[in-house]
Amino acid sequence: HQKQRRDIVVVIDAGHGGEDPGALGPGRVREKDVVLAISKELKALVNSKNGMQAQMTRNGDYYVGLRQRTGLARKHNADLFVSFNKPQASGASVYALSKRGATSEAARWLAKKENSADLIGGVGGVSLDDKDDVLAGVLLDLSMTASLNASLGVGSHVLKAMGGMTRLHKKRVEQAGFVVLKSPDIPSILVETGFI
């Protein structure tokens, strides 16, 4: 019995939106408009590849809450989450989740595992609901470690590609506790394009 193959799903997050314009650039260009345009270009590029499919957290000028963004990634069974946000004046950057951010998020998941946040791994994943605290903690830690390693790997490739087009803020993937990076089972990166 062969497992049915599915497309790799990339969820693309255009930061800001609606009442949150983000940074303002020359000619009053708004960050929320630029990241949406970049996100739409990436969506078209991903969808042009066989075996890949892109979804967006927003398609227009409206605001989506930070936790809602990662929730949409889970809803779409994302294999990768890419967020565009927070431009650096001193060059482009790529971020993955920090160890400290992963630890705090694991604690949050364990505290509410009886609620909706009780499944890791998406479709066919592992439920934490019926596990004791120690086992649930180990499973969550394994999942977060794998996701973080994948995020750092993808982030390195993205940073290398960006280095061929623009000046980089740093030559390695940086790590931080941004909310949009906190999916325990979805590799996630935040890209600062340095355009404003």
Side-chain angles (χ1 to χ4, degrees):
H1 178 71
Q2 211 178 18
K3 272 189 174 180
Q4 189 176 12
R5 297 181 68 166
R6 68 168 180 83
D7 287 349
I8 293 168
V9 178
V10 179
V11 171
I12 303 162
D13 174 43
H16 306 289
E19 296 299 308
D20 175 13
L24 286 175
R28 300 193 56 78
V29 65
R30 298 175 302 186
E31 181 183 357
K32 67 177 181 176
D33 299 328
V34 177
V35 293
L36 183 59
I38 290 170
S39 296
K40 287 179 176 179
E41 286 290 326
L42 180 58
K43 179 183 179 183
L45 185 62
V46 169
N47 284 336
S48 73
K49 304 292 182 191
N50 224 3
M52 296 185 75
Q53 163 191 160
Q55 300 287 342
M56 304 250 305
T57 58
R58 70 176 177 98
N59 291 294
D61 187 16
Y62 50 89
Y63 182 77
V64 179
L66 298 178
R67 289 279 178 194
Q68 191 179 353
R69 294 165 197 251
T70 56
L72 286 167
R74 295 184 68 71
K75 180 182 172 188
H76 290 299
N77 297 312
D79 297 293
L80 176 65
F81 180 80
V82 180
S83 184
F84 292 98
N85 213 331
K86 295 174 65 71
Q88 283 276 3
S90 56
S93 298
V94 176
Y95 283 88
L97 186 61
S98 65
K99 293 278 190 191
R100 186 174 178 182
T103 300
S104 67
E105 188 64 8
R108 192 183 82 84
W109 268 63
L110 290 172
K112 61 177 286 194
K113 69 177 186 176
E114 71 281 1
N115 299 323
S116 59
D118 64 348
L119 187 73
I120 53 174
V123 173
V126 176
S127 173
L128 298 180
D129 195 32
D130 58 349
K131 310 294 187 291
D132 66 43
D133 288 349
V134 173
L135 180 55
V138 168
L139 291 171
L140 195 54
D141 184 59
L142 287 170
S143 179
M144 292 198 89
T145 299
S147 291
L148 179 53
N149 287 339
S151 300
L152 290 168
V154 168
S156 292
H157 285 291
V158 170
L159 197 62
K160 185 176 178 183
M162 288 173 63
M165 296 181 287
T166 188
R167 190 164 56 86
L168 299 178
H169 178 60
K170 290 195 178 166
K171 293 182 180 178
R172 61 175 177 77
V173 177
E174 299 178 71
Q175 291 182 257
F178 299 130
V179 172
V180 292
L181 298 175
K182 289 187 172 183
S183 293
D185 50 356
I186 303 171
S188 303
I189 59 171
L190 183 142
V191 179
E192 294 182 343
T193 57
F195 53 78
I196 292 180

